[in-house]
Amino acid sequence: MTESLMNLWHPIASAEDLPYRHIFQGQLLGRELAVWRADDDFVNVWENRCLHRGTRLSIGRSDGLELRCQYHGWRYANRSAGCTYIPAHPADAPARTICNRTFPSVERYGLIWSGEEPTGEPPEIAALENAETLLLRNIAVNAPLNLVLGHLANYRFSITGDPDNLATTSMDYQDGCSLSLTATCDGKKSTVVFFVQPVDSNRSVIRGVLSNSPEGAERLLTLRHHSAELSRLRDIVELEALDGPSLEPMVATIEQVPIALPEITTPSGRKAALRVQVLRKWATAEGVVGLELESIGEPLPTHQPGAHIDVHLPNGLVRQYSLTNAPGEGSLYRLGVKLEADSRGGSACLHETVKEGDVLAISEPRNNFPLRRDAVKTILIAGGIGVTPLLSMAQTLRNNKLDYELHYFAQTDGHLAFPEVLHELGEAVVLHLGLSPDETSQALTALLAGPQPAMHIYVCGPGPMLEATRRIASEADWPDEAIHFEYFKNTIEVDSSSSFEVSLARSALTLEVPSGKTILEVLRDNGIALMSSCEQGACGTCEVTVIEGEPEHQDVYLNDSEKLAGQRIMTCVSRAKSPRLVLDI
Amino acid sequence: MIKIYDYILSVNCYKQRLMMSILDVPFESIPIDFYPGWEHKSEEFKKINPLGHIPVIDDDGFMLRDAHAILIYLASKYDPTGLWYPTNNPELIGETAQWMLFAEGTTNTASAARLHVNLGYEFDIEACRAGAHRLFRVLEEHLWFREQENLGWVCSGEQPTIADIAIFPDVILSEEGGVARIDYPALRRWTDRVKRIPGFVPMPGIFPVGDARPISHEGEANA
């Protein structure tokens, strides 16, 4: 019995149980559920349990696109239930494996349907199709499913809501956890369909839907009549259940979260684990196209503000693009791609060749530009197309009601990407249009005058602007850890002439890195496939911990103090000053 | 300034703090070592309240005890709108009195169960829990039908009354006494609405809630 119940769709809530920003507490077959409707109307059905300390998420808080646990503030994204932020580690991106368990949801007949492992679709009830239905008040009963169904089969009710005028009732069908009764009185008919939700071995919820919806005062009368009759039925069933055998509560299996271990795979270079379809492609600004990518098959993994993906292009090139949408916003990734004048075929391919409906291979999102959400104020500084990751951040900060400004440096109005998003962000956006390099420096100097404690700056834009920001921030005495940069590409001329030795502490292997080859390439040649993305020292994906030796940094990802500390190295461009490096691989 | 003989974890003291915060009445809290000190049962405190319980308020020399009586006093004296204790509306004031008596019931069942579990009182715990569920079932049905009439509060007015303030703390802390609210969805939605009343303050065990739906200014209902 239980096994087949696991494969059925069950109503777990009514649509009216999910008002704005409310988190409904439900239960099905012993498993507690947190059910909430996001601002995009998506109904989330999740395990009612924070992955951190097991606290019920139904006492959490929804900000519309993310749900925040009440205990330590872990945040989970709409739709995917992936963790987007852990307040105790504000500077880090949560591992992708931290994802709560989700269950499917379908709305039908004013009810929310879900299940453990349901097959097919929720039942279609002929009497309720294309009918003006009326949802009865649901009645929770402390009794097992079958006992409730048995009593419901003999349920009598009045068509008019007058309790002294009960009608003759006949059963239309009984099937699984549902049955339908039609009452006839004075030539009038009314059908009620009952769905009984198996909450636990000894608890059920009766959810009734009437196939007709009386108007005016009769509506309330009808609702009151059924509420009273069903409450009476409940009292009888509960008394009977007390005499029945005592049943052990059902035990729902709780899945363990896989521990995030570094990926060691066959050396095949950069991986494209996901297939997406171009849902929409449009010109969002002068020389910039917007692309919306939708998953083929499985829903897309959760992304965090600041994250990027590798796009594997039809012409064989691999390019990195930041995601511009906020986590929880739709089951899609939105990119902004600028046509580069000196394009080596990447942006030109996306602009000219790729069209709506095309299928692309992309990597899972990675976040090497994570956003802290504990700053008293956050300043986002965008230069041109560098606005893309900052748009995701701005929308997240806005949704979380955190104080921020987005300073957008661009040539003209026409060069502003995603104007509709900028419009939504409203007064938090400050435009700086048509400034010369000197004027830009002046504006940045004004912006960065006087560092404030617990204020954080995120900058993304062309190399010269980032260099200017770095210099100005350093002159204004901003601490390195308060300024976060994202480069499009490496601005440093990489010198690969040195040769040295790398010892891999965990692999007990020593390898020779000859001039002209990178550490990453040597590792790959020897069967160790590190994750990588841009492979030019800008994105931070191929970072490795240095145990011993002095790195020769040639990347733009690490800041000056991190480079000086010498504890991390970007294996795609950086090398060694010392004859030997010991790496934590 | 009003002084309140107060204990942070007391449901009945919280009712007064919540009401005064909503009415924006400044007050001074005089902490009583309720648990484990049992200061409210001391000879010294019995001079203030011979019944040996809190809260007691001292409003410029006027002393008053009993949580629900104090709510009536505070709303009568400090609510210029007259909405919280609607004395000019006979039906509404009757309903308010009716649900204030209901709140005595939730205090003696749901909150008694919590006192038993958390604060060392000896009660028949199973009787307390069963009694709380009986009352919650009544309140669940009542609030569900209120929603059907597009009303959100315990009494039939469009504004909350002291009856909401009297019942809310017993309900929202019920899980601490082992009285689950999973079977009372309308009750859970009502607790969200109470938490959104301007001036709402939490206490340990009561958490803030997500925002109310913003009011649309474009003429169209933001449905």
Side-chain angles (χ1 to χ4, degrees):
Chain A
M1 181 71 183
T2 314
E3 200 145 301
S4 65
L5 289 175
M6 302 271 271
N7 299 323
L8 287 180
W9 287 87
H10 299 279
I12 53 157
S14 57
E16 67 193 18
D17 282 330
L18 308 177
Y20 188 77
R21 306 272 166 106
H22 177 74
I23 305 163
F24 175 84
Q25 184 186 13
Q27 194 172 7
L28 183 67
L29 297 169
R31 184 188 301 285
E32 264 202 41
L33 302 168
V35 187
W36 61 287
R37 190 188 292 278
D39 283 5
D40 65 356
D41 232 22
F42 185 85
V43 174
N44 292 282
V45 181
W46 295 358
E47 181 97 60
N48 191 14
R49 200 172 172 280
C50 179
L51 291 168
H52 179 215
R53 301 295 295 268
T55 304
R56 285 191 172 108
L57 291 174
S58 56
I59 63 163
R61 194 173 165 161
S62 153
D63 70 14
L65 295 175
E66 287 174 317
L67 192 151
R68 178 182 173 278
C69 175
Q70 207 69 259
Y71 201 9
H72 297 97
W74 285 34
R75 286 178 174 276
Y76 298 92
N78 174 32
R79 289 170 186 261
S80 63
C83 179
T84 51
Y85 187 64
I86 298 174
H89 302 279
D92 299 333
R96 206 170 33 234
T97 49
I98 308 177
C99 189
N100 199 357
R101 183 155 179 205
T102 63
F103 298 89
S105 72
V106 171
E107 281 190 73
R108 187 169 286 181
Y109 314 130
L111 296 167
I112 309 293
W113 297 75
S114 188
E116 280 278 315
E117 288 157 11
T119 48
E121 291 282 311
E124 279 184 26
I125 313 292
L128 304 179
E129 289 296 325
N130 306 315
E132 284 281 309
T133 55
L134 180 65
L135 203 64
L136 305 181
R137 186 172 90 83
N138 66 69
I139 307 286
V141 190
N142 292 320
L145 171 74
N146 285 331
L147 197 59
V148 177
L149 281 167
H151 279 263
L152 276 177
N154 299 315
Y155 181 69
R156 295 284 171 270
F157 63 101
S158 151
I159 292 181
T160 55
D162 173 9
D164 295 328
N165 192 14
L166 295 187
T168 321
T169 312
S170 64
M171 194 193 291
D172 308 315
Y173 75 87
Q174 176 167 1
D175 178 22
C177 306
S178 150
L179 59 88
S180 169
L181 303 166
T182 296
T184 320
C185 184
D186 304 332
K188 287 205 308 188
K189 273 187 173 191
S190 175
T191 299
V192 63
V193 182
F194 286 116
F195 305 100
V196 183
Q197 171 189 348
V199 172
D200 205 332
S201 51
N202 197 38
R203 289 165 57 221
S204 312
V205 176
I206 303 170
R207 299 183 182 276
V209 187
L210 216 57
S211 70
N212 59 307
S213 183
E215 304 269 316
E218 207 182 307
R219 177 179 175 275
L220 214 53
L221 211 63
T222 305
L223 288 172
R224 285 197 188 280
H225 169 62
H226 282 283
S227 179
E229 291 299 319
L230 288 170
S231 298
R232 217 153 58 91
L233 181 141
R234 173 193 64 198
D235 293 347
I236 295 166
V237 175
E238 286 189 344
L239 271 179
E240 204 176 312
L242 281 182
D243 292 337
S246 71
L247 302 166
E248 286 296 311
M250 294 178 181
V251 180
T253 50
I254 303 222
E255 286 179 347
Q256 267 202 329
V257 177
I259 297 162
L261 290 173
E263 268 178 76
I264 307 277
T265 49
T266 49
S268 58
R270 290 175 276 194
K271 286 195 300 175
L274 308 173
R275 295 291 175 277
V276 288
Q277 193 159 27
V278 180
L279 181 70
R280 192 157 83 95
K281 176 184 172 181
W282 74 104
T284 174
E286 188 78 27
V288 181
V289 290
L291 290 162
E292 278 180 1
L293 309 178
E294 187 187 45
S295 172
I296 300 172
E298 292 290 298
L300 294 171
T302 311
H303 74 280
Q304 301 143 7
H308 75 269
I309 52 169
D310 292 347
V311 178
H312 293 244
L313 295 165
N315 60 13
L317 292 173
V318 181
R319 289 287 180 268
Q320 291 73 47
Y321 295 102
S322 295
L323 303 179
T324 68
N325 48 330
E329 190 209 327
S331 187
L332 52 81
Y333 296 153
R334 193 176 299 130
L335 315 178
V337 178
K338 186 185 174 198
L339 181 62
E340 296 295 342
D342 56 348
S343 171
R344 287 175 294 151
S347 63
C349 176
L350 279 167
H351 269 254
E352 289 150 23
T353 313
V354 170
K355 56 187 188 304
E356 286 179 4
D358 282 1
V359 172
L360 295 173
I362 62 169
S363 70
E364 288 167 317
R366 274 185 290 265
N367 194 1
N368 302 317
F369 192 36
L371 171 70
R372 296 180 71 114
R373 304 199 205 175
D374 60 348
V376 292
K377 181 160 189 172
T378 306
I379 306 278
L380 310 173
I381 302 175
I385 194 61
V387 77
T388 48
L390 303 179
L391 281 178
S392 175
M393 291 182 174
Q395 292 171 89
T396 303
L397 293 166
R398 187 257 331 257
N399 293 347
N400 293 175
K401 296 200 149 77
L402 295 168
D403 192 11
Y404 76 99
E405 287 170 14
L406 169 59
H407 291 266
Y408 192 171
F409 292 77
Q411 290 174 45
T412 68
D413 258 351
H415 287 83
L416 297 172
F418 303 102
E420 66 288 349
V421 178
L422 298 174
H423 176 74
E424 248 181 57
L425 295 170
E427 287 176 2
V429 180
V430 184
L431 300 177
H432 304 268
L433 299 177
L435 303 189
S436 68
D438 279 349
E439 289 167 331
T440 303
S441 286
Q442 282 167 24
L444 289 170
T445 309
L447 261 178
L448 298 174
Q452 304 280 330
M455 189 153 138
H456 282 262
I457 316 273
Y458 293 79
V459 202
C460 184
M465 179 177 168
L466 266 55
E467 292 309 327
T469 312
R470 207 184 272 282
R471 179 178 47 77
I472 292 162
S474 150
E475 284 165 10
D477 280 336
W478 280 88
D480 274 351
E481 62 271 17
I483 314 255
H484 312 262
F485 292 95
E486 170 127 304
Y487 280 78
F488 303 148
K489 56 184 178 193
N490 201 342
T491 49
I492 297 170
E493 194 134 331
V494 176
D495 172 4
S496 61
S497 60
S498 63
S499 63
F500 54 97
E501 203 176 77
V502 285
S503 293
L504 313 181
R506 277 193 278 160
S507 313
L509 196 65
T510 298
L511 301 169
E512 198 65 45
V513 181
S515 73
K517 275 208 157 191
T518 68
I519 302 176
L520 186 67
E521 283 165 349
V522 171
L523 291 175
R524 285 210 173 127
D525 290 349
N526 287 277
I528 297 162
L530 276 187
M531 290 223 293
S532 72
S533 179
C534 76
E535 301 193 353
Q536 52 160 302
C539 78
T541 306
C542 65
E543 177 183 302
V544 164
T545 300
V546 178
I547 296 172
E548 203 184 293
E550 194 186 346
E552 180 191 7
H553 295 290
Q554 304 195 73
D555 63 279
V556 288
Y557 181 74
L558 296 175
N559 66 32
D560 288 347
S561 33
E562 288 164 341
K563 283 181 179 170
L564 206 61
Q567 288 165 349
R568 297 147 73 191
I569 186 167
M570 298 303 135
T571 51
C572 65
V573 288
S574 296
R575 305 181 74 81
K577 284 184 186 161
S578 52
R580 195 170 85 118
L581 279 183
V582 182
L583 302 179
D584 187 20
I585 303 179
Chain B
M1 199 193 303
I2 298 179
K3 285 183 199 153
I4 171 169
Y5 294 88
D6 195 11
Y7 177 57
I8 181 78
L9 297 179
S10 153
V11 166
N12 276 332
C13 294
Y14 170 65
K15 293 176 185 180
Q16 320 312 319
R17 296 196 300 269
L18 177 58
M19 191 74 254
M20 289 189 279
S21 172
I22 289 170
L23 296 176
D24 202 14
V25 178
F27 63 92
E28 183 192 342
S29 174
I30 301 170
I32 296 297
D33 182 10
F34 186 94
Y35 183 85
W38 299 97
E39 192 185 344
H40 56 303
K41 300 292 183 196
S42 68
E43 287 309 313
E44 202 57 33
F45 188 77
K46 280 184 177 166
K47 290 176 195 158
I48 297 166
N49 180 359
L51 297 175
H53 51 65
I54 48 174
V56 175
I57 61 156
D58 176 350
D59 190 1
D60 204 12
F62 174 69
M63 307 284 285
L64 197 64
R65 64 170 187 249
D66 281 307
H68 299 153
I70 299 171
L71 287 179
I72 293 176
Y73 170 75
L74 290 172
S76 304
K77 183 154 185 186
Y78 294 104
D79 170 27
T81 68
L83 292 168
W84 284 98
Y85 189 56
T87 44
N88 58 355
N89 181 327
E91 284 81 19
L92 220 45
I93 199 70
E95 284 181 359
T96 309
Q98 171 189 298
W99 288 106
M100 292 295 275
L101 287 167
F102 185 88
E104 292 292 330
T106 52
T107 303
N108 292 330
T109 53
S111 288
R114 179 176 167 273
L115 281 179
H116 177 94
V117 172
N118 282 359
L119 299 172
Y121 271 72
E122 285 294 333
F123 291 117
D124 179 346
I125 182 70
E126 288 313 319
C128 288
R129 286 173 181 158
H133 281 296
R134 256 194 318 276
L135 295 173
F136 283 8
R137 275 188 171 176
V138 171
L139 191 56
E140 164 73 15
E141 181 174 18
H142 175 71
L143 287 168
W144 191 86
F145 278 102
R146 279 274 183 270
E147 288 181 347
Q148 295 302 311
E149 298 176 86
N150 291 318
L151 295 169
W153 308 107
V154 165
C155 297
S156 60
E158 294 196 346
Q159 303 291 329
T161 62
I162 54 170
D164 295 282
I165 303 302
I167 301 171
F168 168 78
D170 297 331
V171 170
I172 197 70
L173 291 166
S174 72
E175 308 249 0
E176 292 187 4
V179 179
R181 291 191 297 279
I182 191 168
D183 286 336
Y184 312 109
L187 197 54
R188 291 188 77 247
R189 292 194 289 277
W190 166 75
T191 61
D192 275 13
R193 291 194 288 274
V194 174
K195 289 177 182 183
R196 290 179 184 135
I197 294 173
F200 175 83
V201 281
M203 68 167 260
I206 302 181
F207 308 106
V209 72
D211 293 334
R213 185 187 288 280
I215 295 157
S216 169
H217 295 293
E218 285 158 26
E220 292 219 341
N222 199 354

